[in-house]
Amino acid sequence: MTQPDQPPTPPNDRVESSDSTPTASAPSTPPKRRVQIGQSYVVPKPNPSATATSTPDRPGPDSGSARRPRRDRDEDDGPARRSLSQIDRDLDQAMAESVRNLAPPSFGNKPLKKLWDEELEAEFAETMGDFDFGDLEDQGGTRREPKPPGSKLAGPRKGRMIAVRGENVFIDLGGKSEGVVPLTQFLELNRPIPAKGEEVEVLVERFDPSEGVVRLNLRGAVVEANWDNLQVGTPVEARVTKVNKGGLDVDVDGIRGFLPISQIELGRVEDASVYLNQRLKCLVTEANPRLKNLVVSRRALLEREREELREKTWAELAEGQVRQGKVRTVRDFGAFVDLGGVDGLLHVSDMSWVRNKDARAVVSVGQELTVKVLKIDRENRKVSLGLKQLTVSPWDDLAQRLAPGDIVKVKVTKIMDFGAFAEIEPAVEGLIHISELANRRVNRVSDVLKEGDELEVKILSIDPAERKIALSLRQALEVKARAQAEQDQAEDQADDQPDDDPPPAKPKPTVPLKGGLARHGDDAASLGLNL
């Protein structure tokens, strides 16, 4: 009787021999190989026989256990492996055959987009035909509330005036949206009520659902403040309640705020205590309702008003105009005058006809002036102003007072290399050229003259158009020397003239002479002499 074959030993079983001590073999896992196909990677499947946790020990030659017969490699490996290039060719061929078998759809003469629209509408109507949208609310569904009409109009807007009704001015904002502006805001800002159809610049505050209109405010108008309408850029009226080191504590309609000291004026503020208990118009620069933090700025409002005024002034400004201005700053070379948002330069030479070295001697900061616009540079935004041009020039009637050849007394005002300037009368100066200083050659003007010297000069020429007068010290000295010589000559001639007539006879005395000799006997008796 033949015994059945024994089943093969499982891979995890250990085979022990009588001659050797049983040992556990370490698991052997072959490394994974990655094969690149195009841009992808394929990890080959591991052989189940190679991934076993343990490999049975190979029995020795003398062991009594039966040895497992060796299998043929062709029986376990299956079909022969294909190369990567062969796999790529097979995939490309399969894709090409599948594309060729697809038949293009036929849509007839209708456009594809229109056909799709009709199909989608028909499918949607068929699917949703029996659906009741009213059941959404019954089922607890929520509907999105539409945004109020004024939510899309936030910020500055421009509209046209429609009508005035009661205490409100109705403004058409376009897009079937209307807003109202309180009539009192026009009165507070001293603005005329616009005519029908006139464009008005407004700020959108909020939408009023009870009235169905948008609440508007004029730019620069003060609004009643609360945490709902306090936004950055909103104009408010703040009352100063306290002065501290960093600025001012203010009260805005019951809301506590802060005004930094750098935001009070356009310039630097040295003493902030002068603003205590005053009401200031400001702009909101920071508003946080959750933290109850409110910061306002008066400087921002002043800058905005100045910017609006600047554009208006530039549109009206023209050369030759006479305008009112206020001196903002004074420098050695001149003063800057505010004409209404536009600063113009009043040079020291255009302040008066009299020569001035320092502008501070003529004008001061804060002084109101009436000036004339001399020149405008719109590209560089520069304006030149004049003050003396509004007064009578002493050169206009100079020909009635002075003439060439006159000898006048002057005062030296300025020494130059080419000569010296001398003042003939206030605001009228002439030039004494270096060649007209003396009969000899003069190398330096300072060798002959110095500032403050008073002397007589001769007027050589007068040019009222160019406002130039040529003077000569040399010719004045020559004239003076010639006159002196003529005078001396006249005196000498008077001394050398001979006496042609004899001197007149002396009159005889009418009284008897006393003393002297007398006749003998005539006067002796009278004298009491005995001769």
Side-chain angles (χ1 to χ4, degrees):
M1 186 175 180
T2 306
Q3 295 182 357
D5 297 336
Q6 296 181 357
T9 306
N12 295 333
D13 295 344
R14 296 179 180 178
V15 180
E16 298 180 358
S17 61
S18 57
D19 299 337
S20 61
T21 305
T23 58
S25 61
S28 175
T29 303
K32 297 181 180 180
R33 292 188 303 112
R34 296 183 180 272
V35 181
Q36 180 177 4
I37 302 177
Q39 298 297 330
S40 61
Y41 295 89
V42 177
V43 181
K45 296 181 180 180
N47 191 353
S49 60
T51 58
T53 57
S54 62
T55 304
D57 297 335
R58 189 180 299 273
D62 298 336
S63 61
S65 60
R67 187 174 183 180
R68 185 170 59 182
R70 182 176 182 181
R71 297 181 180 179
D72 192 1
R73 181 178 301 275
D74 295 338
E75 297 178 359
D76 297 337
D77 291 345
R81 294 185 178 180
R82 294 178 296 176
S83 62
L84 298 179
S85 59
Q86 182 64 30
I87 293 175
D88 293 339
R89 286 194 297 271
D90 293 345
L91 290 175
D92 294 340
Q93 184 178 0
M95 291 293 295
E97 292 178 357
S98 61
V99 172
R100 284 195 299 270
N101 294 333
L102 293 176
S106 177
F107 300 106
N109 296 328
K110 295 183 178 181
L112 182 60
K113 184 177 183 300
K114 185 175 181 181
L115 182 63
W116 286 354
D117 292 343
E118 294 177 355
E119 292 179 356
L120 289 175
E121 290 179 0
E123 184 179 356
F124 181 78
E126 182 181 357
T127 305
M128 307 298 294
D130 299 334
F131 186 78
D132 187 7
F133 290 94
D135 296 339
L136 290 176
E137 296 182 1
D138 299 339
Q139 295 175 4
T142 58
R143 297 180 61 184
R144 181 176 296 178
E145 294 294 336
K147 294 183 178 181
S151 60
K152 297 181 180 180
L153 304 175
R157 300 279 297 183
K158 289 185 178 181
R160 296 190 178 276
M161 188 269 200
I162 302 176
V164 178
R165 298 172 185 172
E167 298 181 354
N168 296 316
V169 179
F170 284 78
I171 306 296
D172 181 14
L173 300 176
K176 298 182 180 180
S177 298
E178 293 183 359
V180 292
V181 179
L183 187 61
T184 55
Q185 293 187 3
F186 289 92
L187 303 178
E188 292 175 357
L189 298 176
N190 295 326
R191 295 185 183 179
I193 300 176
K196 185 176 182 180
E198 185 178 350
E199 191 175 61
V200 182
E201 188 173 1
V202 295
L203 294 173
V204 177
E205 179 182 350
R206 59 185 176 86
F207 175 72
D208 189 355
S210 61
E211 298 292 341
V213 294
V214 181
R215 295 293 180 181
L216 307 175
N217 295 308
L218 290 178
R219 289 184 63 90
V222 177
V223 300
E224 185 176 353
N226 55 66
W227 285 115
D228 295 333
N229 63 3
L230 280 179
Q231 301 177 0
V232 176
T234 302
V236 295
E237 186 178 58
R239 183 176 63 87
V240 180
T241 59
K242 184 180 178 181
V243 180
N244 52 47
K245 184 178 181 180
L248 304 174
D249 289 343
V250 296
D251 179 81
V252 181
D253 293 337
I255 300 175
R256 182 180 178 184
F258 178 68
L259 175 59
I261 192 171
S262 62
Q263 301 298 316
I264 298 177
E265 294 286 352
L266 293 175
R268 181 181 178 86
V269 176
E270 299 293 342
D271 186 13
S273 60
V274 296
Y275 298 94
L276 189 62
N277 297 324
Q278 291 189 15
R279 292 186 176 272
L280 307 175
K281 291 179 62 177
C282 307
L283 288 181
V284 176
T285 57
E286 184 179 349
N288 192 329
R290 184 175 61 86
L291 300 178
K292 303 297 182 182
N293 184 28
L294 176 63
V295 182
V296 296
S297 171
R298 183 170 179 261
R299 179 175 181 175
L301 181 62
L302 296 177
E303 289 178 348
R304 190 176 75 176
E305 293 177 350
R306 182 175 176 82
E307 181 65 26
E308 296 175 354
L309 186 59
R310 179 185 295 114
E311 297 302 326
K312 181 180 178 181
T313 304
W314 273 113
E316 300 174 351
L317 209 58
E319 294 183 1
Q321 287 182 345
V322 178
R323 303 183 67 96
Q324 296 290 331
K326 185 177 181 179
V327 180
R328 295 190 61 191
T329 56
V330 181
R331 298 290 185 267
D332 295 338
F333 55 86
F336 289 96
V337 182
D338 184 10
L339 301 178
V342 178
D343 286 346
L345 175 61
L346 177 60
H347 198 267
V348 64
S349 61
D350 292 319
M351 289 184 177
S352 65
W353 297 107
V354 181
R355 184 184 297 272
N356 295 287
K357 295 183 179 180
D358 191 356
R360 296 178 180 85
V362 184
V363 297
S364 58
V365 177
Q367 183 179 354
E368 298 286 344
L369 297 177
T370 301
V371 294
K372 183 178 182 179
V373 180
L374 303 180
K375 186 178 179 181
I376 299 176
D377 186 358
R378 298 187 181 275
E379 182 178 356
N380 297 320
R381 293 289 180 118
K382 293 182 179 180
V383 181
S384 298
L385 305 176
L387 184 61
K388 70 180 183 180
Q389 286 77 9
L390 299 178
T391 60
V392 178
S393 173
W395 289 84
D396 295 342
D397 56 351
L398 186 65
Q400 301 176 5
R401 303 189 304 272
L402 300 176
D406 292 349
I407 302 297
V408 293
K409 189 175 183 179
V410 298
K411 181 179 181 181
V412 179
T413 57
K414 192 173 184 180
I415 301 295
M416 305 296 293
D417 295 337
F418 53 85
F421 288 96
E423 183 184 41
I424 303 173
E425 59 183 41
V428 178
E429 290 184 350
L431 173 64
I432 308 174
H433 197 266
I434 190 173
S435 61
E436 297 293 336
L437 292 178
N439 292 324
R440 57 183 177 82
R441 181 180 179 84
V442 178
N443 295 325
R444 292 184 300 180
V445 180
S446 58
D447 294 340
V448 181
L449 299 176
K450 63 178 181 297
E451 292 185 8
D453 287 349
E454 294 183 359
L455 59 148
E456 291 183 347
V457 295
K458 181 181 179 180
I459 299 178
L460 301 180
S461 63
I462 299 177
D463 187 356
E466 297 293 333
R467 296 182 178 179
K468 294 181 179 179
I469 300 178
L471 305 176
S472 175
L473 176 61
R474 176 177 59 83
Q475 297 187 27
L477 295 176
E478 292 177 356
V479 171
K480 187 176 181 180
R482 191 182 309 115
Q484 185 67 33
E486 292 177 355
Q487 182 180 359
D488 294 342
Q489 184 179 1
E491 292 178 357
D492 293 341
Q493 291 178 356
D495 295 338
D496 296 340
Q497 185 178 5
D499 296 338
D500 297 334
D501 298 331
K506 296 181 179 181
K508 294 182 177 181
T510 57
V511 295
L513 297 177
K514 295 181 179 180
L517 298 177
R519 291 181 180 179
H520 181 73
D522 293 339
D523 296 329
S526 59
L527 295 174
L529 298 176
N530 295 322
L531 297 176

